[in-house]
Amino acid sequence: MKNFHILLIILFVAFLVRATFIGTYFTGDAIDTVGPARNYAEIGRAAVYTTNTSEKATFGYIDNGLYFNFTHPPMRVVLYSLWASMFGFSNAVMILLPIILGLLSIVFIYLIGKELYSDRVGLIAAALAAIIRYHFYGSVIGFGDNFLMFTVAASVYFFYMYLKTTKIIYVLPFLIFTV
């Protein structure tokens, strides 16, 4: 129970550090993720309006100036679109999803360290993930890095649990997070 409290403290500190970015603006490739999510919430389609003919040639042009940006894997755009349709679109709401995914990846990192070595190693791994620059960066941008960190950590955990116990119940979550 003591280790659970320490993990909660690590997650709370990780959230506080990442919460400073709630309400900030999106930059770079994050716009390619949250832009279609915003459009899905507003117009019911994950498309962007343009009259630029070079953009129409580059991206998947539909009609009436609408096009889809297919430069990134679609799963995260679908995830952000579902998030936006459930909770609305604002910078504060859209930045919460990567923060939540980052915190969940810290939990799985703890579980992996705990299963492979000990509770102490799991807590150290979780604390390092909470403060390491790239994990912090990946947990506050509306981009695929946070999704990747979460799904990889979950996949590794469920695969290890399957190998350890040979219980078939761990195969389905492993496959879901791997795919």
Side-chain angles (χ1 to χ4, degrees), residues 13-149:
V13 169
F15 176 76
L16 286 179
V17 172
R18 287 154 175 78
T20 59
F21 285 85
I22 293 176
T24 59
Y25 58 91
F26 298 105
T27 60
D29 286 338
I31 294 169
D32 290 337
T33 302
V34 297
R38 179 198 66 223
N39 291 336
Y40 183 79
E42 290 178 355
I43 65 173
R45 293 173 69 175
V48 179
Y49 181 77
T50 185
T51 55
N52 185 334
T53 54
S54 66
E55 286 181 351
K56 289 178 185 178
T58 305
F59 301 109
Y61 177 67
I62 306 289
D63 59 359
N64 299 327
L66 289 173
Y67 71 90
F68 290 97
N69 183 345
F70 293 119
T71 60
H72 297 286
M75 189 59 193
R76 72 163 185 245
V77 174
V78 169
L79 179 66
Y80 277 86
S81 296
L82 290 172
W83 182 264
S85 65
M86 288 188 297
F87 301 107
F89 179 85
S90 71
N91 289 3
V93 169
M94 294 306 287
I95 208 73
L96 277 177
L97 181 58
I99 290 173
I100 290 168
L101 292 174
L103 294 177
L104 288 173
S105 70
I106 291 172
V107 170
F108 278 109
I109 289 168
Y110 162 74
L111 292 172
I112 292 167
K114 177 185 166 195
E115 289 296 325
L116 289 175
Y117 299 102
S118 67
D119 281 328
R120 184 177 177 163
V121 170
L123 290 171
I124 292 169
L128 289 174
I131 61 171
I132 286 177
R133 182 180 182 276
Y134 188 76
H135 193 282
F136 170 74
Y137 173 73
S139 297
V140 296
I141 59 173
F143 191 52
D145 296 9
N146 48 49
F147 190 60
L148 180 67
M149 289 185 299

